[in-house]
Amino acid sequence: KNYPDLASAIEDMTKYANDIENAVSVGLGAGDPNQSEMVSQISKVIQPQHVNQVFTGAPVSRALLGQNETVVNALVSPTGKVGWVKISTGPLSSTFPEAIVPVETAIAMLKDMGASSIKFFNMRGLTYKDEFAYVAKACAENHFYLEPTGGIDLENFEEIMRIALDAGVEKI
């Protein structure tokens, strides 16, 4: 998001990757779905350890990576209803009526698409605590990683981690 074009982003990230043993995470920039294609193109070249994607972008990134070692997450959002998540987080789908599905269905779809984890965004701290606890339980039961994001600070970090750990999530 902070680069004028794809080439300059790849050039800069290649330098970082070389300096930090490729401990790179390619991100959307505040969950911006319009960055999805650029994230995939950068990831194809950089081969980072971690890729942040929208729900519909995860399979594109996985295919362009050409390997299964990189952790690829997919952004899903809280809905206000425990057990359900919004998956219409892509550049086009986010402009249409919301697609809301059971958490377990979202996880199965993400596994079908080659994703490694759910990025639960925007949590707004503990605003969606019950939803987050359900997502954590579903991730644990389905051997899927979980990345809680949005509004996490020193005041709520421990409780958020405790919820995920108590649920049995393998990687957070």
Side-chain angles (χ1 to χ4, degrees):
K1 201 169 183 175
N2 295 328
Y3 294 96
D5 55 44
L6 182 62
S8 60
I10 289 171
E11 179 182 345
D12 209 25
M13 288 186 202
T14 300
K15 291 175 190 172
Y16 292 132
N18 291 335
D19 289 344
I20 58 174
E21 298 179 11
N22 201 30
V24 173
S25 176
V26 180
L28 295 163
D32 182 353
N34 296 313
Q35 297 299 307
S36 179
E37 184 178 340
M38 183 175 274
V39 165
S40 291
Q41 294 298 329
I42 292 168
S43 298
K44 176 183 177 183
V45 176
I46 302 296
Q47 294 289 306
Q49 292 181 20
H50 184 265
V51 174
N52 293 281
Q53 261 303 356
V54 293
F55 191 88
T56 54
V60 176
S61 284
R62 178 60 73 204
L64 290 177
L65 284 163
Q67 42 86 356
N68 292 317
E69 288 77 37
T70 297
V71 172
V72 176
N73 73 27
L75 192 153
V76 302
S77 298
T79 62
K81 184 176 176 186
V82 174
W84 297 79
V85 290
K86 181 175 98 170
I87 63 171
S88 50
T89 60
L92 184 59
S93 61
S94 64
T95 67
F96 281 81
E98 295 179 337
I100 296 174
V101 302
V103 173
E104 296 83 357
T105 302
I107 291 170
M109 292 172 73
L110 290 171
K111 284 184 164 187
D112 283 346
M113 297 188 296
S116 314
S117 67
I118 278 185
K119 179 173 186 156
F120 194 61
F121 177 83
N122 181 340
M123 288 182 48
R124 295 187 176 99
L126 290 166
T127 301
Y128 300 101
K129 179 179 174 179
D130 293 340
E131 287 182 67
F132 175 66
Y134 189 96
V135 169
K137 180 178 172 280
C139 284
E141 290 172 353
N142 290 282
H143 306 285
F144 208 60
Y145 304 160
L146 174 59
E147 300 180 38
T149 56
I152 299 173
D153 58 28
L154 293 175
E155 301 299 316
N156 59 30
F157 174 79
E158 187 175 343
E159 186 173 357
I160 289 167
M161 289 301 294
R162 179 61 38 216
I163 290 167
L165 290 168
D166 287 350
V169 178
E170 295 169 24
K171 287 196 180 180
I172 305 162

